[in-house]
């Protein structure tokens, strides 16, 4: 097809894809009237855009069973496929990382790290005035503490919202909590060690509760909308600054 006009405006011959993308973005979900020519015949179509996720998903070949989000990209490390053995399991993993991006967890962690670093620098400065040189030790340690602040809460929130994403995408997530049993077998230290992530057994229990909640809404034909997160205490208070 030759695309001739978009909402009455003639489509340029150069930079066509960029021009169309900019026009669609500017109009949001408003209907689009498009004129195209096929085999010498013109026809007019009305298109109805819907909002979609534009975060790209990259698969990295590595044996490490992990996935992460940078805020604008989701990276799946191929080792996670030993744990996520079904499409629904993989949807839970991707939903988890998408939730991190949409909920702004990466930005919040950076802000918490900055608050911690500033608080530590104040202590370093105070000690320096007293003749004690710390080499920025408190700033470095408080920065790390700030970055870890609410880490477990962020992960639990991403598990919860991510399960809703998978269900809303049409995946059957019944039994998806077993993903964390498989992960515990793959990474035994996750059974008892909780750093910035909950332990695998805790995630299993929490995911099971989330799935029960989603299935109850589906039976009652209620919208699959997650509950809003509770407000958090500022990190500076939590760090004792």
């Amino acid at each position: 097809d030759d695309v001739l006009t978009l909402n009455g405006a003639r489509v340029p011959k150069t930079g066509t894809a960029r021009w169309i993308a900019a026009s669609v973005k500017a109009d949001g979900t408003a209907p689009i009237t498009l004129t195209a020519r096929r085999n010498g015949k013109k026809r007019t179509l009305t298109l109805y855009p819907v909002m979609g996720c534009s975060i790209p998903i990259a698969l990295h070949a590595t044996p490490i069973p992990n996935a992460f989000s940078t805020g604008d990209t989701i990276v799946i490390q191929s080792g996670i496929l030993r744990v996520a053995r079904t499409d629904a399991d993989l949807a839970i993993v991707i939903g988890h990382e998408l939730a991190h991006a949409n909920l702004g967890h990466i930005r919040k962690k950076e802000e918490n790290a900055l608050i911690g670093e500033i608080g530590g620098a104040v202590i370093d400065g105070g000690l320096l005035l007293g003749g004690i040189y710390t080499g920025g030790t408190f700033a470095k340690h408080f920065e790390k503490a700030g970055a870890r602040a609410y880490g477990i809460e962020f992960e639990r929130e991403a598990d919860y919202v991510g399960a809703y994403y998978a269900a809303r995408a049409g995946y059957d997530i019944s039994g998806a909590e077993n993903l964390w049993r498989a992960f515990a077998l793959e990474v035994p230290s996750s059974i008892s060690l909780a750093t910035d992530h909950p332990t695998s057994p805790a995630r299993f229990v929490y995911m099971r509760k989330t799935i029960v909640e989603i299935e109850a809404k589906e039976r009652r034909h209620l919208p699959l909308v997650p509950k809003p997160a509770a407000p958090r205490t500022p990190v500076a208070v939590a760090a004792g600054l």
Side-chain angles (χ1 to χ4, degrees):
D1 293 345
D2 292 325
V3 180
L4 305 176
T5 66
L6 203 68
N7 290 334
R10 184 170 295 278
V11 175
K13 295 294 184 182
T14 60
T16 307
R18 214 167 26 248
W19 185 89
I20 290 177
S23 299
V24 172
K25 184 176 180 180
D27 292 336
T29 57
I32 297 172
T33 301
L34 180 146
T35 303
R37 181 170 51 218
R38 176 182 292 184
N39 297 327
K41 295 182 180 180
K42 290 184 181 180
R43 61 175 182 161
T44 300
L45 306 171
T46 301
L47 309 178
Y48 300 90
V50 295
M51 298 301 292
C53 177
S54 61
I55 296 180
I57 301 173
L59 178 65
H60 287 189
T62 171
I64 300 172
N66 194 24
F68 61 89
S69 171
T70 63
D72 54 11
T73 302
I74 292 173
V75 176
I76 304 296
Q77 296 179 321
S78 58
I80 200 69
L81 300 179
R82 296 193 302 272
V83 177
R85 299 167 184 171
T86 67
D87 286 349
D89 286 348
L90 190 55
I92 289 286
V93 172
I94 293 174
H96 173 96
E97 300 305 333
L98 182 59
H100 275 317
N102 287 345
L103 296 170
H105 288 164
I106 294 90
R107 174 183 54 79
K108 291 173 185 176
K109 287 182 70 173
E110 291 172 350
E111 291 174 354
N112 290 345
L114 179 60
I115 292 172
E117 182 182 12
I118 292 172
V122 170
I123 296 176
D124 288 326
L127 292 173
L128 185 60
L129 291 175
I132 302 174
Y133 177 66
T134 63
T137 299
F138 283 93
K140 294 173 185 175
H141 283 288
F142 278 44
E143 179 186 11
K144 292 180 181 177
R148 289 195 301 268
Y150 307 121
I152 290 179
E153 290 183 39
F154 288 159
E155 295 300 325
R156 186 178 292 119
E157 191 175 20
D159 281 347
Y160 176 70
V161 174
Y164 269 88
Y165 285 163
R168 288 174 61 149
Y171 290 94
D172 178 7
I173 62 170
S174 58
E177 68 273 14
N178 289 312
L179 171 70
W180 297 113
R181 280 183 172 166
F183 189 83
L185 291 173
E186 187 71 29
V187 186
S189 62
S190 69
I191 297 174
S192 57
L193 184 62
T195 52
D196 55 354
H197 286 65
T199 62
S200 290
R203 296 179 91 167
F204 174 91
V205 172
Y206 190 71
M207 180 61 72
R208 182 61 203 147
K209 289 176 61 178
T210 301
I211 292 171
V212 168
E213 177 181 304
I214 291 173
E215 289 175 340
K217 289 182 179 180
E218 288 177 327
R219 286 194 300 272
R220 296 164 63 189
H221 304 290
L222 297 175
L224 295 184
V225 179
K227 299 173 185 174
R232 297 183 177 89
T233 305
V235 67
V237 175
L241 301 179

